């Protein structure tokens, strides 16, 4: 009997070893992951002893590098040449963020399925069909022709690979162990993939199909009224109204009437088109930046602030770093995988960015000669296409092969083999335009004055950004910057005709003629993704920008501000005032006053009547209003624009407000699907009830559970989206999509920075999470609570590697092997 038990135990043990040592489907082998010698237990970290000084000898270095770390794990890198500087940046960024760099590069390159299996095949297909590889290769080829860029890319690559080479399997970041794969060598093109991914995030959206469907249904006259090219109710443009455009204007291409296809249903088959959607337009992906002049500053020098709003994740999209070399000393945040500082400051200048939302992503309907699609019709002749072979390797399956067809516009999207009534749509977008945007940041890092800033911007291609600037010569400026196509008015608002060069992009707006302002009389510059300029600007950038409320509130506060300091600008970044509530709520409350209300409804109306328009975390009134207004918008437009067969764009928030406040008797309030004729008061009352019912269904009877932070339920998830223990704890935040503190459920201020310029700059900043991407590190979440409270850390700006200042921790010295 004992012998049988022994045999059984051996068999079970052998079976467990076999099972745990094998991957099963998309899951990795769990044995190595659970091993105490090489598994997850090896990923725990401790706070580094401040006295620690480590010396490493590495390949490819030219001279010795010193890296000092502060209390928050931020590296301060001191090198004697650019190659070593970016080598160290690559090395130390990989140390903290290697898996993030790998994942985001794979996403841009269309290589997720190699590690995640068939579940991500559609995402990889979209990346290939958008030509992400094509764009990255074109940009790398262009960038490597510049010796400075080449040195930076090769140095950064060498540093990343130096870190990877020293890793044993037990040292791999935990996500590699969970997914059962190992890091691969970094390549310079990976940096271009990172920039390509950011371009797609900020400039890779399209609503032409939805707009064309709406045009088909309602005609040009109605669409012109419902979708104006400039806000009808209120706007406070980035470049102040009345700014003179003192330059010789290029001739504008002639306006081409938009296409109205005969088969609108053909424009609705999005499963085959695989396009990034823009309907309805998502709010919360935006940013704020501003600079106040010396006359408004208590320091007598400009103060600059920036808080880009993006999807929040762990680890953060940003990585803090100081870079010091003989001709550069810069501090700020970088993108993991990209050398240099993207947003930051040095001894003389500071800069920041917000997204322009320029229309640099257009769709063209293509006519092919036959089903082989070797030729397409353009300017009265058949022109040859060219094909790019895409091979997607899939974990556990055979590779997927696809030929993506390219016209001179760009790749054709319906490459799934279908042909016939489905439109063949080609994508023309800025991600394919060769350039060296990296050089913009390289030169900004080293810039000393306004002239350097303007020169640095000339290299920039995309995504178009509003670059705010301030310097110690007491200049402030803001440039709507990027490579902006020269278009006729509304070109790209609707589907374009790919058979005629009249609808092609007609060159570029000269960089020096991009919207720009320097030292305006009002004493400040600012942007919040709203309209770039008023209607006097001679060129077309886009017809639709972010709603105006954030820009209006920022400009109101800055206009009234005197004796500004870093803390007053920090408080503005955390401003929770609702301009939308101030604009709309009195009208809606006036309607409720004329209706009989239940006790529950009266209680809600009283709360709204007493609301101070602050979207604070504890506000119940904010929850009611933020639930009510979207329901009202849907009630107005759903019956007219909701169409699963042929999706249509909805009118903007500004247009909806104008309708409510200025056109209360318009037909759009009537629900065409009911026999009754509904009015604005009817919709306001029924959606008010619906808002209360929605909150009751989610949170029970009115109580503290209705507080805005609990209703909004903001969260920050790990990049994997599926490993919940790696997520941040629940957040308590105010704000909202139309609020300066633009915090929504999953998007918000990804980096807050305020810089007081002067002989010795003082800067403050923070992002949610921490420096490390390792959930087992004390630097994974150490910044979160201060960020959640709206506080900032002082940024330690060193002038030498041996400078003695508080809050400095360990040191790392890198030497040539």
């Amino acid at each position: 009997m004992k012998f049988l038990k022994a045999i059984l135990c051996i068999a079970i043990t052998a079976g467990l070893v076999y099972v745990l040592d094998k991957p099963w489907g998309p899951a990795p082998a769990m044995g190595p992951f659970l091993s105490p010698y090489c598994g997850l237990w090896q990923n725990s970290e401790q706070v580094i002893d401040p006295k620690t000084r480590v010396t490493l000898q590495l390949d490819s270095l030219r001279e010795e590098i010193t890296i000092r770390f502060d209390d928050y794990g931020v590296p301060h890198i001191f090198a004697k040449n650019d190659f070593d500087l970016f080598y160290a940046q690559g090395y130390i960024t990989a140390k903290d963020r290697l898996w993030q760099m790998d994942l985001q590069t794979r996403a841009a390159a269309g290589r997720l399925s190699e590690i995640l299996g068939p579940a991500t095949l559609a995402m990889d297909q979209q990346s290939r069909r958008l030509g992400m590889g094509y764009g990255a290769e074109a940009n790398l080829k262009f960038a490597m022709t510049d010796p400075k860029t080449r040195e930076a890319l090769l140095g950064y690559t060498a540093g990343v690979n130096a870190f990877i080479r020293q890793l044993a399997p037990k040292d791999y970041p935990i996500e590699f162990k969970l997914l059962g794969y190992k890091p691969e060598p970094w390549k310079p093109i990976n940096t271009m993939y990172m920039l390509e991914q950011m371009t797609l995030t900020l400039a890779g959206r399209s609503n032409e199909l939805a707009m064309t469907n709406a045009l088909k249904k309602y005609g040009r006259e109605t669409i012109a009224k419902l979708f104006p090219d400039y806000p009808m109710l209120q706007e406070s443009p980035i470049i102040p109204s009345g700014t003179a455009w003192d330059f010789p204007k290029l001739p504008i291409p002639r306006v081409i009437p938009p296409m109205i296809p005969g088969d609108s249903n053909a424009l609705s088959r999005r499963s085959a088109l695989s396009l990034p959607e823009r309907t309805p337009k998502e709010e919360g992906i935006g940013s704020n930046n501003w600079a106040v002049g010396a006359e408004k500053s208590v320091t007598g020098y400009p103060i600059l602030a920036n808080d880009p709003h993006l999807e929040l994740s762990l680890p953060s999209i940003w990585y803090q770093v100081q870079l010091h070399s003989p001709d550069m000393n810069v501090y700020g945040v970088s993108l993991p995988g990209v050398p240099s500082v993207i947003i930051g400051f040095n001894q003389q200048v500071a800069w920041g960015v917000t997204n322009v939302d320029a229309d640099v992503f257009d769709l063209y309907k293509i006519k092919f000669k036959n089903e082989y699609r070797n030729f397409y019709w353009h300017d009265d002749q058949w022109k040859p296409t060219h094909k790019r072979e895409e091979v997607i390797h899939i974990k556990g399956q055979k590779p997927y092969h696809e030929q993506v067809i390219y016209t001179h516009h760009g790749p054709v999207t319906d490459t799934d083999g279908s042909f016939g009534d489905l439109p063949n749509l080609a994508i023309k977008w800025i991600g394919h335009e060769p350039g060296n945007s990296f050089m913009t940041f390289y030169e900004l890092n080293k810039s000393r004055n306004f002239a350097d800033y303007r020169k640095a911007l000339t290299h920039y291609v995309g995504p178009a950004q509003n670059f705010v600037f301030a310097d110690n010569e007491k200049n402030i400026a803001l440039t709507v910057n990027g490579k902006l196509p020269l278009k006729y008015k509304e070109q790209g608002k609707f589907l374009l005709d790919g058979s005629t060069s009249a609808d092609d992009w007609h060159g570029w707006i000269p960089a020096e003629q991009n919207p720009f302002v320097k030292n305006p009389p009002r004493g400040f510059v600012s942007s919040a993704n709203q309209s770039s300029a008023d209607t006097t600007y001679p060129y077309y950038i886009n017809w639709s920008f972010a709603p105006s409320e954030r820009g209006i509130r920022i400009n109101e506060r800055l206009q009234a501000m005197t004796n500004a300091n870093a803390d007053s600008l920090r408080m503005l970044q955390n401003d929770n005032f609702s301009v939308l509530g101030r604009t709309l709520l009195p009208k809606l409350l006036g309607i409720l006053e004329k209706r009989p209300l239940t006790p529950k409804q009266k209680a809600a109306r009283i709360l709204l009547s007493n609301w101070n328009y602050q979207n604070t975390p504890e506000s119940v009134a904010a929850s009611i209003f933020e639930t009510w207004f979207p329901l009202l918008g849907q009630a107005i437009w759903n019956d007219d624009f909701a169409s699963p067969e042929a999706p249509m764009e909805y009118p903007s928030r500004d247009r909806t407000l104008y309708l409510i406040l200025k056109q209360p008797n318009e037909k759009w309030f009537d629900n065409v699907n009911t026999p009754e004729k509904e009015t604005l008061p009817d919709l306001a009352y029924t959606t008010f009830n619906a808002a209360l019912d929605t909150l009751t269904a989610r949170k029970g009877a009115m109580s503290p559970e209705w507080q805005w932070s609990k209703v909004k339920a903001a969260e920050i998830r790990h990049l994997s989206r599926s490993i919940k223990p790696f997520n941040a704890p629940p957040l308590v935040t105010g704000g909202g999509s139309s609020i300066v503190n633009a915090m929504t459920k999953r998007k918000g201020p990804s980096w807050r920075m305020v810089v007081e310029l002067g002989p010795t700059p003082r800067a403050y900043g923070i992002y949610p999470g921490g420096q490390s991407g390792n959930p087992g590190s004390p630097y994974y979440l150490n910044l979160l609570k201060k960020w959640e409270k709206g506080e900032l850390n002082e940024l330690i700006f060193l002038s030498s590697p041996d400078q003695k200042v508080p809050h400095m921790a360990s040191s790392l010295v890198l030497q040539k092997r």
Side-chain angles (χ1 to χ4, degrees), residues 576 615-618 708-709 712 732-736 739 741-744:
N576 285 320
N615 276 25
T616 56
E618 64 277 5
W708 178 226
S709 66
K712 179 158 60 76
V732 178
T733 62
I739 309 296
N741 180 22
M743 185 74 205
T744 62

Side-chain angles (χ1 to χ4, degrees), residues 137-382:
E137 291 165 11
N139 278 280
L140 179 64
K141 183 178 180 180
F142 190 100
M144 292 296 274
T145 62
D146 182 278
K148 294 177 181 177
T149 305
R150 180 182 177 86
E151 184 172 54
L153 291 175
L154 292 180
Y156 193 91
T157 297
V160 174
N161 288 331
F163 176 75
I164 292 174
R165 281 195 301 271
Q166 70 183 28
L167 291 179
K170 69 181 182 63
D171 303 316
Y172 292 168
I174 192 169
E175 294 89 351
F176 286 99
K177 298 176 182 179
L178 277 169
L179 296 171
Y181 77 109
K182 65 181 182 180
E184 63 182 18
W186 189 261
K187 300 175 183 177
I189 195 171
N190 289 6
T191 293
M192 296 304 155
Y193 273 122
M194 297 294 295
L195 294 173
E196 196 80 358
Q197 185 68 25
M198 183 56 68
T199 302
L200 180 65
T201 298
L202 297 175
R205 294 172 292 145
S206 169
N207 56 3
E208 287 96 315
L209 297 183
M211 284 299 300
T212 303
N213 283 332
L215 180 66
K216 166 68 177 176
K217 181 173 181 178
Y218 290 109
R220 295 190 182 104
E221 183 177 352
T222 297
I223 293 302
K225 291 178 180 179
L226 291 182
F227 298 90
D229 296 330
Y230 193 79
M232 297 176 66
L233 184 67
Q234 54 186 4
E235 182 59 290
S236 184
I238 291 171
I239 307 304
S241 294
T243 298
W245 311 109
D246 186 18
F247 49 73
K249 305 171 185 64
L250 296 182
I252 307 299
R254 66 186 183 90
V255 176
I256 308 297
M259 295 178 63
I260 306 181
D263 179 13
S264 63
N265 287 333
L267 297 179
S268 66
R269 301 184 191 178
R270 295 175 181 269
S271 59
L273 295 175
S274 299
L275 292 173
E277 300 247 356
R278 201 175 178 177
T279 307
K281 185 172 182 178
E282 185 178 22
E283 296 172 13
I285 295 186
S287 308
N288 305 318
N289 64 21
W290 58 82
V292 297
E295 66 273 25
K296 281 185 169 285
S297 165
V298 72
T299 68
Y301 285 87
I303 308 176
L304 180 143
N306 190 195
D307 55 307
H309 309 145
L310 295 164
E311 184 165 356
L312 303 179
S313 64
L314 291 173
S316 168
I317 188 175
W318 303 108
Y319 183 77
Q320 287 187 64
V321 68
Q322 180 179 359
L323 301 174
H324 187 289
S325 69
D327 62 346
M328 173 164 56
N329 188 15
V330 62
Y331 189 118
V333 286
S334 63
L335 289 169
V338 180
S340 77
V341 164
I342 304 298
I343 298 171
F345 67 97
N346 61 35
Q347 185 74 32
Q348 303 294 333
V349 311
W351 74 94
V353 297
T354 68
N355 196 34
V356 172
D357 206 10
D359 186 7
V360 289
F361 190 106
D362 288 338
L363 300 181
Y364 290 83
K365 185 172 183 181
I366 303 299
K367 177 183 177 182
F368 287 110
K369 189 173 185 179
N370 53 38
E371 67 270 21
Y372 301 109
R373 296 193 287 188
N374 293 323
F375 296 90
Y376 67 105
W377 189 250
H378 185 260
D379 276 356
D380 300 321
Q381 59 181 305
W382 292 110

Side-chain angles (χ1 to χ4, degrees), residues 329 345-350 472 754-764 794-797:
N329 188 15
F345 67 97
N346 61 35
Q347 185 74 32
Q348 303 294 333
V349 311
N472 273 351
V754 180
V755 182
E756 290 182 339
L757 286 167
T760 302
R762 299 192 65 179
Y764 308 84
E794 183 168 3
L795 306 181
I796 301 172
F797 187 55

Side-chain angles (χ1 to χ4, degrees), residues 522-563:
R522 65 185 186 179
F524 67 89
V525 294
S526 74
S527 75
N529 315 109
Q530 73 271 41
S531 299
S532 298
D534 65 19
T535 55
T536 64
Y537 181 67
Y539 301 119
Y540 175 75
I541 296 177
N542 202 349
W543 67 277
S544 175
F545 295 88
S548 61
E549 287 86 6
R550 279 188 293 122
I552 288 172
R553 177 61 175 173
I554 290 168
N555 289 346
E556 287 177 350
R557 288 283 306 274
L558 293 177
Q559 189 71 53
M561 194 174 290
T562 58
N563 295 320

Side-chain angles (χ1 to χ4, degrees), residues 32 35 38 43 47 118 131 146 182 213 269 313 344 393 413 426 447 456 562 571 583 649 719 740 748 754 778 783 807:
S35 166
C38 63
N43 290 95
V47 175
D146 182 278
K182 65 181 182 180
N213 283 332
R269 301 184 191 178
S313 64
H393 295 279
T413 60
S447 60
T562 58
M571 292 172 65
T583 303
E649 182 85 349
L719 272 174
V740 176
V754 180
L783 303 177
H807 307 295

